[in-house]
Amino acid sequence: MVQQERDLHASNGKLPTAATAAKGRSIRRVPPKRLPGVIRKTSSGRSGGLSSDNNTRVPSQSQLTVDHASKSEESISGGELGNAKENNLSSVKKSGNGSIPGIDQDCTSERVNVTDPSSSQEELATQCENLNISSEPTTTPIKTPTKPKKRKTYKETQFEKLISVDRIHLAKLRSAAWNGIPTENRSLAWKVLLNYMPTIASTRENIIKRKRAEYRDIVTKFWENVPDSARSNSEQMSLRQVLVDIPRTLPGVTLFQNQRIRDMMARLLYLYALRNPSTGYVQGFNELICPFIIVYLGGYHGGRDVKGCQCQGAQHDYNDEHFCVEHITDDQLAEVEADTFHSLAILLSKIQTHYTEDQPGLQKNILKLSKVIKRVDAPLHNHLLDEGMMYQQMCFRWFHNFLLRETSISHIIRMWDTYLSSVPSGFEHFHLFVCAAVIVQHSETLRNMRLEEIFRFIQDLNYSDDIEVLLSQAYVLSTLFEGNEAHLE
């Protein structure tokens, strides 16, 4: 004990250094439970200060705690160390960083944070700079939560396996596509179903490059640097009609208000009319190419829906569901134009008689539709005849534009998954039963209308019901009457 007092006086009232602490006492620190610069109150509601009984400064809970390593030693009383603590704490006030003068920084594992509100910011910064520590409270950066990646469904996984093989089994692809194609796989699947791309993966790239190069040659020869005076009267009339129809294309879809898209559509429609004089350009072709453009553009961005640019500022929209058309490069747009041109040519070759003179294919399908309605809903059929409503008047546009004006583009794309899966038997065959299902669904409403009301209802039809239910009903009708003409008599 006498030796301890001598050590204390020899240090001029300071606490023992690391050398003396190692002889008989160990110094440990209580980890701070608060940020720097905050004074924690004691249980009595006051911060650490002077004791009322011995007039010495009593450390708060966040200050240094001294324990004896040996239980046999006598503890040092507060009176003996009172002056030392008072002198020491005054030094702590000035430093403002929680370190205790006389104790080497290397022998402590943590810093004790003791802050007096009266200490100035300049003194705090100076002391911290001398001790090579920061006076700013340490903060942990907030991590922005990342959106978990969407887990693929069983259907998506199976479809991906189906088209990722070296050689796609076309019959299996048609069977799977009939129930709907996942958005990220739709672009490739449509091209294969149309026979625009081969089923063999090793030959696919070379063939698609050759077909795109063929279209670029057509553009160079018949579009670029070709003055109007070099075009015939029929060619000028076709181009004029195309330019009139383009701004009318699906006004509710912002993509087709974009000038780059409109220029692309006008070019490929005019060139199609030029290369196919038997049909030329017919009003409605501008709408038939819309599903191809949307699907093929989305194919470059994981099947996301592409929209026209309505972005504010330079940051264009791009999220998990859709993206702005400005993210499409000129090279990608040129490839989509070529793919759409060839896809339209293949599609119209299947339904060419819908658009030739007298439209025999369209008239045949409308006649068959009237027989289906007569067979499944005779009261509605008789009511339409009594009112003088002809099926040609009611359903002509449905077969001419394939319901592109009667329902949303998302419904159309889903319907075309099914239509394209039955291309060998005819793109329009299943569409006939879809039209029949639409009429049957509105049977009760139509039976209570007069001729003018029926005509207005058909013209203003905006089908927004569940498309899967409609396709299921159409499938039931197709199983009853497809290939069984005798059942319709």
Side-chain angles (χ1 to χ4, degrees):
M1 187 67 184
V2 176
Q3 182 62 34
Q4 293 173 356
E5 292 179 0
R6 289 177 180 175
D7 294 340
L8 183 61
H9 288 297
S11 61
N12 294 327
K14 298 180 181 179
L15 287 177
T17 62
T20 56
K23 294 180 178 180
R25 295 187 294 272
S26 64
I27 300 176
R28 66 179 181 86
R29 296 184 180 278
V30 178
K33 299 182 180 180
R34 51 178 168 64
L35 291 175
V38 179
I39 300 177
R40 183 174 180 179
K41 293 185 177 182
T42 61
S43 59
S44 62
R46 298 174 300 169
S47 60
L50 294 175
S51 173
S52 59
D53 54 349
N54 54 12
N55 201 28
T56 59
R57 184 172 296 277
V58 180
S60 62
Q61 291 181 2
S62 64
Q63 296 173 355
L64 185 66
T65 303
V66 181
D67 290 337
H68 294 288
S70 176
K71 294 183 180 180
S72 60
E73 282 192 9
E74 184 178 352
S75 63
I76 302 175
S77 64
E80 292 172 328
L81 292 177
N83 294 331
K85 291 182 178 180
E86 187 170 0
N87 293 337
N88 184 52
L89 288 175
S90 64
S91 300
V92 172
K93 278 186 177 183
K94 293 180 181 180
S95 64
N97 53 41
S99 62
I100 305 301
I103 299 181
D104 191 351
Q105 294 292 325
D106 294 335
C107 70
T108 60
S109 59
E110 286 188 73
R111 208 172 64 235
V112 178
N113 299 296
V114 180
T115 304
D116 193 321
S118 63
S119 61
S120 64
Q121 192 69 21
E122 291 78 4
E123 293 176 347
L124 177 63
T126 302
Q127 295 294 332
C128 290
E129 184 178 355
N130 294 336
L131 294 174
N132 196 23
I133 59 175
S134 174
S135 61
E136 297 295 330
T138 57
T139 57
T140 303
I142 300 175
K143 293 183 179 180
T144 303
T146 57
K147 188 175 181 180
K149 187 176 180 181
K150 184 180 177 182
R151 187 175 180 180
K152 291 185 177 182
T153 63
Y154 175 78
K155 176 182 176 181
E156 293 172 342
T157 303
Q158 294 301 111
F159 202 97
E160 187 171 349
K161 291 180 180 179
L162 183 62
I163 66 171
S164 60
V165 295
D166 294 335
R167 182 166 188 159
I168 298 175
H169 195 289
L170 193 56
K172 292 181 179 179
L173 177 62
R174 286 175 180 155
S175 177
W178 201 98
N179 294 313
I181 303 173
T183 55
E184 62 269 24
N185 306 126
R186 183 172 279 133
S187 177
L188 174 60
W190 277 23
K191 293 171 185 176
V192 173
L193 289 170
L194 282 167
N195 199 27
Y196 173 54
M197 273 189 175
T199 57
I200 302 174
S202 59
T203 63
R204 196 173 296 155
E205 184 177 357
N206 291 333
I207 291 178
I208 202 71
K209 282 183 178 180
R210 178 174 55 81
K211 290 183 177 180
R212 288 170 178 170
E214 289 176 1
Y215 178 73
R216 284 195 296 271
D217 292 340
I218 296 173
V219 172
T220 303
K221 186 176 181 180
F222 296 102
W223 180 265
E224 294 178 352
N225 303 320
V226 178
D228 290 339
S229 59
R231 295 188 174 99
S232 65
N233 291 334
S234 61
E235 292 172 357
Q236 292 184 20
M237 289 179 60
S238 295
L239 180 58
R240 189 178 301 112
Q241 187 61 56
V242 167
L243 295 176
V244 169
D245 289 346
I246 291 299
R248 305 173 182 171
T249 304
L250 301 184
V253 182
T254 59
L255 174 65
F256 302 110
Q257 299 172 13
N258 183 272
Q259 193 58 45
R260 295 170 69 203
I261 300 299
R262 287 182 173 183
D263 293 343
M264 177 192 72
M265 294 171 65
R267 184 166 48 249
L268 75 89
L269 287 172
Y270 169 75
L271 293 175
Y272 172 81
L274 202 64
R275 299 282 292 178
N276 297 272
S278 59
T279 56
Y281 172 75
V282 179
Q283 285 183 308
F285 286 1
N286 58 310
E287 294 171 340
L288 282 179
I289 64 176
C290 292
F292 291 125
I293 294 174
I294 292 175
V295 170
Y296 294 165
L297 285 175
Y300 289 95
H301 295 269
R304 292 177 176 85
D305 187 20
V306 57
K307 296 183 179 296
C309 185
Q310 294 180 331
C311 312
Q312 301 296 327
Q315 187 66 30
H316 297 291
D317 245 355
Y318 196 98
N319 54 45
D320 290 341
E321 296 180 357
H322 67 268
F323 66 97
C324 173
V325 68
E326 297 303 324
H327 287 283
I328 296 294
T329 65
D330 291 340
D331 290 340
Q332 291 174 345
L333 198 61
E335 292 177 355
V336 169
E337 181 179 344
D339 295 344
T340 302
F341 175 85
H342 289 293
S343 297
L344 177 66
I346 295 171
L347 174 63
L348 291 179
S349 67
K350 308 293 182 182
I351 55 176
Q352 188 173 15
T353 54
H354 280 228
Y355 305 103
T356 55
E357 188 177 0
D358 296 331
Q359 300 174 308
L362 187 148
Q363 298 297 336
K364 179 181 177 181
N365 281 323
I366 290 179
L367 178 61
K368 187 175 181 179
L369 173 65
S370 66
K371 293 181 179 180
V372 171
I373 299 298
K374 179 181 179 180
R375 187 72 172 80
V376 300
D377 196 339
L380 173 61
H381 176 75
N382 295 332
H383 175 73
L384 294 175
L385 294 180
D386 293 341
E387 292 295 328
M389 173 60 72
M390 299 177 63
Y391 282 91
Q392 285 83 354
Q393 295 174 320
M394 185 170 66
C395 302
F396 176 85
R397 196 173 73 181
W398 292 8
F399 284 92
H400 187 80
N401 292 351
F402 290 88
L403 293 174
L404 273 157
R405 298 181 186 177
E406 282 69 35
T407 188
S408 66
I409 190 65
S410 59
H411 280 180
I412 292 296
I413 291 174
R414 169 61 189 92
M415 290 162 59
W416 281 30
D417 288 345
T418 300
Y419 291 1
L420 291 172
S421 67
S422 58
V423 161
S425 61
F427 181 89
E428 80 280 10
H429 286 180
F430 191 78
H431 178 71
L432 182 152
F433 297 104
V434 170
C435 294
V438 171
I439 295 175
V440 171
Q441 282 187 358
H442 296 90
S443 175
E444 185 176 352
T445 302
L446 292 172
R447 287 201 304 266
N448 294 323
M449 289 182 174
R450 304 303 300 268
L451 178 62
E452 296 81 6
E453 295 174 322
I454 295 173
F455 189 76
R456 191 180 304 112
F457 177 82
I458 295 298
Q459 291 296 316
D460 298 336
L461 178 64
N462 184 12
Y463 190 86
S464 58
D465 296 339
D466 190 345
I467 193 65
E468 298 297 338
V469 174
L470 178 66
L471 292 174
S472 298
Q473 294 176 347
Y475 174 73
V476 172
L477 295 175
S478 68
T479 56
L480 292 174
F481 302 111
E482 180 66 26
N484 298 315
E485 301 295 334
H487 291 181
L488 297 176
E489 300 300 332

